[in-house]
Amino acid sequence: MIIPTRNHATLLEECLSSLSRQTFRDFEVVVVDGHSTDGTAEVAKRHGARLVYEDYGTRAGACRVGSEQARGEVLVYTDDDCTFPPDWLERIHRAFSEDPELMVYGGEDVIPEGSSYFERTLYQFDLAKGSFRHPSLRLRGCNVAYRREALRRENFNPLLKGIEETELHYRMARRGMKMVFDPSLFVYHRRRSGFLSLFRRMYSNGRDRVQVVRLHPELLSAMDLLPLLALPLTLVTLLLLPLSSLPLLLWAGAALLYFLGKSFWVVVRSRGFRYWPLLLPVLVVRELSFGLGVVRGRLGKGPLREKAGEACPAGGRR
């Protein structure tokens, strides 16, 4: 069991307390700390976890260090803001024991009881888009396990600042590894609690998505291109505004249709009709912050491919 963390002592306390109630007992906990300045080390030691440190400064780096430090043949990853059903590890152990060809196994992350209306609204987006994804893209970093052999062949790229599990799973799928997404295997995972934290998260997702596409151009999709198209169109609209209000009306109409249409799609797909009042503003913040992150990533330097080649060459070995 590998848990990357940094300055989340309170959350880590809940996470480790939940792990202590697992019906499967033959496991170790490795807490990979990014040099926290709160009580993270004390929490880890109090719960009997093995504490190691990472110096990459990224979650991917922490995951990489965890894979190098853990002793088991099945490496289970989760986040410090998760809690777990009592049979979670038992089910993972059984899946790998029954299928020797299984390399990657994971499942859902659902919201815990008592989540706020805002958190439940965010959850509707996961419910709406989940069924459309390939199993390798549905696997979540907070609820996924790897046979050690899989991480010997392909490991986390420690230079990626985010979306590291998506990039890793893409490489694993390309190698033909057997990967299973089991929707009945779940952990309880907190969502963002407000607009500001949502903005920061989606902004970093957009920026980090650019890193992944630079490494794998074949992953380029509409969500990577729309922000780059929207920005010049917005600038042209503003430049033409002194001459005519028509471009502004067209721009506003297109934006309104886009947000209304996508929010309606989320409501229908997730059957979350009761969340409609908040879903539209949440969607606007999600899309705008992600788009700004994509633009920021494109404007930034792009030496990741060469550096990644040094840090994580083909096959995931160093």
Side-chain angles (χ1 to χ4, degrees), residues 116-125 192-195 198 263 266-267 272-286:
S116 68
Y117 184 81
F118 189 91
E119 293 170 313
R120 291 180 181 276
T121 301
L122 295 186
Y123 185 50
Q124 304 313 304
F125 290 89
R192 295 301 183 267
S193 58
F195 282 106
L198 173 64
S263 61
V266 172
V267 166
F273 296 95
R274 60 176 292 199
Y275 301 99
W276 172 261
L278 187 58
L279 196 143
L280 184 58
V282 164
L283 176 64
V284 172
V285 172
R286 279 174 55 99

Side-chain angles (χ1 to χ4, degrees), residues 99-118:
D99 187 352
E101 295 183 359
L102 181 62
M103 289 294 167
V104 187
Y105 177 65
E108 289 282 9
D109 58 332
V110 304
I111 53 176
E113 292 185 9
S115 296
S116 68
Y117 184 81
F118 189 91

